[in-house]
Amino acid sequence: QVQLEESGGGLVQTGGSLRLSCAATGRTFGKLGWFRQAPGKEREFVARILWSSGSTYFADSVKGRFTISRDNAKNTVYLQMNSLKPEDTAVYYCAAGFNPFSTVLIGGYDLWGQGTQVTVSS
């Protein structure tokens, strides 16, 4: 079965940290990305990692605060979130792109997880 499963969301205070996990099963992927959607807002790109090279890219809003990484043995991607702000509050989604040659940041995602809620309180 090919699927993505996000976990690690929760409630944290401003300035706190949280680590999200995305476990991928069923196959390998060219890239995995993190997106988020706050109530009443459109879904936005957060970060992406290329599976083979480990190359990463971050949205300006999280650059310097978030880190994306992978564990090849566990076929899992992590999003380490530090210095969290209330504006980081959203449902965070893991997304996988099957094409190993695609380096596009936003497009090219074929499979999405169910999402995990992150809430940052003042």
Side-chain angles (χ1 to χ4, degrees):
Q1 183 178 0
V2 179
Q3 64 178 21
L4 302 176
E5 186 70 39
E6 304 102 326
S7 62
L11 175 64
V12 297
Q13 292 181 292
T14 297
S17 298
L18 202 62
R19 189 180 75 164
L20 306 183
S21 299
C22 176
T25 60
R27 62 166 293 167
T28 57
F29 305 95
K31 64 182 180 184
L32 286 113
W34 286 96
F35 294 77
R36 66 188 183 186
Q37 187 167 24
K41 299 181 65 177
E42 295 183 348
R43 183 181 62 197
E44 65 174 331
F45 168 81
V46 176
R48 181 223 68 197
I49 186 168
L50 301 181
W51 196 260
S52 60
S53 67
S55 179
T56 61
Y57 196 90
F58 300 91
D60 289 341
S61 60
V62 305
K63 194 172 298 181
R65 299 188 297 119
F66 289 14
T67 300
I68 188 170
S69 61
R70 75 198 194 285
D71 186 325
N72 291 338
K74 297 181 178 180
N75 212 34
T76 299
V77 172
Y78 303 97
L79 183 68
Q80 178 67 47
M81 306 183 294
N82 301 319
S83 302
L84 284 164
K85 307 173 182 179
E87 51 262 44
D88 295 317
T89 296
V91 177
Y92 283 70
Y93 296 92
C94 179
F98 297 164
N99 189 345
F101 303 105
S102 177
T103 59
V104 177
L105 297 178
I106 300 176
Y109 294 96
D110 306 295
L111 182 66
W112 295 78
Q114 303 90 346
T116 184
Q117 177 70 49
V118 172
T119 303
V120 184
S121 63
S122 301

